[in-house]
Amino acid sequence: MKRSLHDVRVGVIGAGFIGPVHVEALRRLGVRVSALCDVPGVVNAAASRLGIPKAYGDHRQLVADPEVDVVHIASPNRWHEAMALAALEAGRHVVCEKPLAMTTRQTARLVREVEARPRQIFAVNYNCRFYPAVLQMRELVRSGELGRVIHVNGSYFQDWLFKETDYNWRLLPAEGGALRAVADIGTHWLDLVSFVIGARVRAVMADLLTFHSVRRRPLGEVQTFARAAGRVRTAPYQVKTEDCGSVLLEFENGARGNLAVSQVAAGRKNCLRVEIYGSKQSVWWCSEDPEMLHLGRRDEPNASAVRATPAFGRGAAGYMDHPPGHVEGFPDTFKMNFRAIYSAILDGPPAEPLYATVRDGHEEVAVCEAIRRSAAVRRWVAVRRHEFPVERRRS
């Protein structure tokens, strides 16, 4: 008998901000979350709060659990490679948060390990691909309705690190990597645009700014987007990751682009904007108004379409569950991403997955490294990427 979603058992590593988002989305699909892993002293309370039966203080225990089929990695970035390798070696399918790892040396190793195991699905959680408007923009490009893509404009702005007293592990290079705003949220935009226009970034020119060169670090950890209550003892520390930046882009299809990214943009809570300008017409969309897709024309009236209406289009067919006016937003992108991933787990990978693969995760880290080099030398820099054979599969 064919397995269903209800037969799949999942272990989630990470009980901070994003781990519970994974849990909630999986449960909406009917997938069983059987185990949770985080540091001792945190994981038991988190597992009890989330109603997860098993709690582990070591990721090796979770991946070895015979009642775990799929491992979701939602830990700080420095652990991604080791946890992914452990899960792969244990024969588990893997869904890893972005960025895939800290360096392209690590991500290249993961590509090789994944492609040596064709029966195991490995996905990177670039969930923003699964806003219905994003899927429809992709369809507009693929169908030729936009014409040739000339250039792309956009941004990803937040304000949760606006104050010098705002703190999270992502600020520390040892935990999150040498880039922060670019790697944390900028890669969502970069992956989304490459996914939509069907072209990789070839070269970049970047300018990065650390606005708060010194911040106040609480004497204790703070979860993502959390706000400390009352008086908290702090200590000053030097910040070595960027608060904001601007990146010019050259894509392999000849299109140009520009990206602005910031985590110190007052009033912007989670604002991802994309504008794609083609030779026939343009399209633009913003995550803070996720239901609306806008089309721009030279000689005809511009148009706006509401999600799930005929004017919107069918590019997101199969990845919308609610009628127009019943907003599908950020939490729904996780559910739809996992729907695509778990379909591959149950039925085998499609020829062209909609979800981000291990190679996509490697690609975004390669672009990040180019952005860092460009900001250091203040000039255009080509993206250096490991080239892998198209087929490296073995049965």
Side-chain angles (χ1 to χ4, degrees):
M1 181 181 296
K2 180 181 176 180
R3 297 178 74 198
S4 72
L5 285 173
H6 308 292
D7 300 316
V8 182
R9 300 160 301 180
V10 177
V12 175
I13 304 175
F17 162 64
I18 210 68
V21 176
H22 283 236
V23 172
E24 188 266 349
L26 288 164
R27 285 175 169 166
R28 289 172 68 193
L29 289 172
V31 177
R32 289 184 291 165
V33 181
S34 57
L36 181 70
C37 178
D38 208 306
V39 295
V42 169
V43 67
N44 289 326
S48 177
R49 183 178 70 253
L50 294 169
I52 298 173
K54 296 183 181 181
Y56 294 114
D58 187 322
H59 72 273
R60 292 167 294 191
Q61 295 173 308
L62 182 142
V63 302
D65 187 333
E67 294 187 359
V68 169
D69 303 307
V70 188
V71 174
H72 283 236
I73 300 170
S75 63
N77 304 345
R78 74 184 180 99
W79 292 105
H80 288 184
E81 181 197 23
M83 290 176 174
L85 288 172
L88 288 168
E89 290 167 3
R92 312 304 180 210
H93 305 288
V94 180
V95 179
C96 185
E97 266 301 331
K98 49 86 223 139
L100 176 57
M102 301 276 269
T103 68
T104 52
R105 177 173 295 183
Q106 294 176 338
T107 58
R109 181 182 180 187
L110 286 172
V111 171
R112 290 190 290 269
E113 293 294 332
V114 169
E115 296 195 348
R117 296 171 169 84
R119 292 189 178 89
Q120 290 169 246
I121 298 299
F122 192 108
V124 183
N125 189 45
Y126 282 113
N127 60 290
C128 293
R129 292 183 176 204
F130 284 85
Y131 281 102
V134 171
L135 292 170
Q136 177 59 21
M137 285 193 290
R138 180 174 181 266
E139 178 59 26
L140 290 172
V141 173
R142 289 165 64 90
S143 67
E145 292 183 58
L146 292 188
R148 179 181 174 184
V149 176
I150 304 168
H151 61 93
V152 183
N153 174 61
S155 59
Y156 202 151
F157 286 172
Q158 298 175 335
D159 71 356
W160 70 288
L161 294 173
F162 179 70
K163 299 179 180 180
E164 66 175 8
T165 52
D166 292 331
Y167 172 79
N168 177 261
W169 60 262
R170 287 174 172 80
L171 288 153
L172 305 178
E175 295 290 323
L179 292 181
R180 187 229 314 158
V182 170
D184 185 24
I185 55 177
T187 57
H188 270 302
W189 190 95
L190 291 161
D191 175 79
L192 185 158
V193 168
S194 288
F195 172 67
V196 168
I197 71 172
R200 303 188 301 181
V201 175
R202 179 159 52 201
V204 301
M205 184 173 180
D207 177 58
L208 305 178
L209 172 66
T210 302
F211 179 72
H212 293 300
S213 58
V214 177
R215 287 181 181 261
R216 304 293 305 187
R217 180 176 180 177
L219 300 179
E221 287 305 307
V222 178
Q223 296 292 353
T224 305
F225 297 114
R227 292 289 180 263
R231 286 178 169 265
V232 176
R233 293 177 60 203
T234 63
Y237 71 102
Q238 293 287 326
V239 179
K240 299 186 183 302
T241 55
E242 81 286 358
D243 289 318
C244 57
S246 300
V247 187
L248 296 177
L249 305 157
E250 179 186 348
F251 292 91
E252 290 185 333
N253 64 354
R256 300 297 194 268
N258 54 286
L259 163 66
V261 60
S262 176
Q263 292 177 317
V264 291
R268 290 300 189 187
K269 305 307 176 186
N270 192 45
C271 181
L272 190 161
R273 291 176 50 256
V274 179
E275 303 171 353
I276 302 173
Y277 295 92
S279 59
K280 294 181 180 178
Q281 61 179 337
S282 62
V283 63
W284 63 90
W285 170 80
C286 175
S287 67
E288 291 189 340
D289 189 16
E291 297 286 276
M292 298 300 299
L293 190 65
H294 306 277
L295 293 167
R297 288 116 179 203
R298 164 68 185 268
D299 299 317
E300 301 174 31
N302 291 350
S304 297
V306 179
R307 180 193 59 79
T309 62
F312 187 88
R314 294 190 49 78
Y319 294 97
M320 296 183 291
D321 283 348
H322 301 298
H326 300 74
V327 178
E328 291 187 342
F330 177 80
D332 301 283
T333 64
F334 286 79
K335 183 183 77 169
M336 296 307 181
N337 189 21
F338 297 162
R339 175 176 291 174
I341 294 166
Y342 279 72
S343 293
I345 289 171
L346 293 171
D347 302 326
E352 190 176 1
L354 291 176
Y355 59 83
T357 66
V358 67
R359 289 198 185 203
D360 295 321
H362 169 75
E363 172 68 18
E364 297 314 324
V365 176
V367 175
C368 281
E369 290 182 347
I371 289 171
R372 186 184 178 206
R373 292 195 307 273
S374 174
V377 301
R378 305 192 67 80
R379 59 177 173 80
W380 281 94
V381 166
V383 176
R384 299 175 189 161
R385 47 176 61 92
H386 295 71
E387 294 298 339
F388 304 97
V390 174
E391 292 293 336
R392 297 189 69 255
R393 307 284 186 177
R394 68 168 183 253
S395 60

